[in-house]
Amino acid sequence: MNVDSMRKIDRRVGVPLCFFMSILIGISTRIRFIKKKKPDLKRVLFIELSEMGSAIIVDPAMRKLQQAAGSELFFAIFEDNYKSLELLQTVTEENAFKMRSNNLFVLALDVLRFMVWCRKNKINTVIDLELFSRFTALLCALSGARARIGYASHHDEGLYRGNLINFPVRYNPHVHMSVNFMSLVNTTLGYHDNPYATTPLIPGELTLVKAKINNERVAEVKNKIRELYPSWKKERLVLLNVNASDLLPQRRWLPDNFAVVARHLLTQFDDILLIGTGAPKEREYVQNVVDMVGDKRFVNSAGVFKFEELVPLYSICTTMLTNDSGPAHFAAVTDLKVFVIFGPETPALYLPMGNAEPFYLGLPCSPCVSAANHRKTSCITRPCITGISTDWVKGRVAEYLKKGK
């Protein structure tokens, strides 16, 4: 299913389902005389289906829960996004539920499978990381967990998803998502007893751990680079991630702009090799940029590196220029310097937690996507991202490369 279809279903079907499910849960709670208790933290399930980057951003919060309460962690995520969980291995694969989203029938089947899986694993508490998704709120209710923690609009208008969350946390759109995720965990731990996350953050607790580098994988990555560019010796590696996911295509900086930056860097530095990165389905898109540059020192690696080879690849590179997308967050588990181009989103909420620096105009209309509109925008001209000049980008990246000589 495409993203727009999922949004429509979430609204038109999700709202009435949340309404009726809230009534059923309310009646069941009264009939069975179930009293609200503190969350049982033995087995805690996190739900984040659609965002690969968020699976990285939430890691400090998950580790805090693990250390503070000794919880066994579980995670539900769309199957296509599962690989992001493997980078830091905080949640084991056997504790991950991979939900398929091919079509409505498959999705409905996996909801039933999810219900069985939750009961088999005796899930006590569930934390919904999604921003006001009715579907994930319903999954929280269907999990059978007594404690359900998630974002609530509280006194804010709209974003209805019933009363399925019984430990609500007011979502704060003015702080980084890592802070919002930590607020969910602090509520789960019982550090405050109201929807406002009044618990102050401890210095250093939002630090992202670094991934372990597999030396054998590094050797394999180097071999693949030599296959792409046989004469590679000591040239510094600069990554260009020119694409962005279909979830929000407005995040893509123009391919022509990437080509301008690439030509400038290759002219300025004779000791660099540019590598265009991407998934196999993005190979043609990346090749278009490579062809515009027309230099043998700019190669297309889309589909060449496996996901598990990305961390080893990032560990031997000098820097990466990327759209606001998953790879920017994947690189955060390494020391790689990453330059991220932001448009309809804002770095105030989604800047990667590693060594990242944004290019962001901060127009009066920015950010135009948020939890309030389920990250949908109809802006076609996209001045927030098309207005980011190639002079600014190529100048800053070149400045960084000069310092690193």
Side-chain angles (χ1 to χ4, degrees), residues 118-345:
C118 286
R119 284 152 181 80
K120 179 181 177 182
N121 287 288
K122 300 178 181 178
I123 299 299
N124 311 113
T125 296
V126 59
I127 300 176
D128 184 3
L129 303 173
E130 292 275 2
L131 297 181
F132 300 98
S133 161
R134 285 100 187 189
F135 180 57
T136 54
L138 288 164
L139 289 181
C140 287
L142 295 173
S143 70
R146 291 287 179 88
R148 301 177 296 276
I149 298 92
Y151 296 120
S153 53
H154 203 41
H155 293 305
D156 302 324
E157 295 283 350
L159 300 173
Y160 174 83
R161 54 179 188 167
N163 298 315
L164 304 181
I165 301 297
N166 58 358
F167 287 86
V169 177
R170 184 181 178 274
Y171 169 67
N172 187 349
H174 305 290
V175 299
H176 195 269
M177 283 310 302
S178 60
V179 178
N180 277 299
F181 289 155
M182 192 63 76
S183 297
L184 292 176
V185 164
N186 285 338
T187 299
T188 305
L189 289 167
Y191 291 167
H192 46 257
D193 57 1
N194 64 78
Y196 295 98
T198 55
T199 305
L201 297 180
I202 301 170
E205 70 177 349
L206 291 179
T207 302
L208 191 67
V209 300
K210 300 301 180 183
K212 296 178 180 178
I213 308 299
N214 185 309
N215 291 330
E216 291 183 2
R217 287 262 165 84
V218 170
E220 292 171 3
V221 164
K222 289 181 177 179
N223 287 335
K224 287 187 176 182
I225 293 174
R226 290 190 182 94
E227 290 176 6
L228 292 169
Y229 187 70
S231 57
W232 177 56
K233 294 179 181 178
K234 295 183 179 180
E235 290 91 348
R236 291 179 292 169
L237 304 176
V238 176
L239 303 178
L240 295 187
N241 183 59
V242 303
N243 204 3
S245 72
D246 293 333
L247 182 64
L248 193 59
Q250 288 87 351
R251 293 182 294 190
R252 296 175 183 142
W253 203 37
L254 293 177
D256 300 54
N257 290 345
F258 275 104
V260 169
V261 172
R263 280 194 292 267
H264 177 77
L265 296 179
L266 290 169
T267 301
Q268 292 292 310
F269 303 95
D270 57 8
D271 66 334
I272 65 170
L273 172 64
L274 299 187
I275 301 178
T277 64
K281 63 181 179 181
E282 298 168 345
R283 186 164 183 82
E284 185 176 345
Y285 189 94
V286 176
Q287 188 61 45
N288 176 48
V289 179
V290 172
D291 290 342
M292 280 192 280
V293 176
D295 190 302
K296 65 179 182 179
R297 286 191 294 137
F298 186 15
V299 296
N300 182 1
S301 74
V304 172
F305 297 107
K306 300 175 183 177
F307 190 90
E308 54 269 26
E309 293 174 327
L310 290 183
V311 167
L313 172 64
Y314 297 154
S315 72
I316 62 173
C317 291
T318 300
T319 188
M320 172 164 67
L321 174 65
T322 175
N323 289 310
D324 169 29
S325 58
H329 295 283
F330 306 153
V333 304
T334 71
D335 294 322
L336 181 67
K337 174 69 174 184
V338 179
F339 293 96
V340 190
I341 300 170
F342 278 89
E345 280 283 15

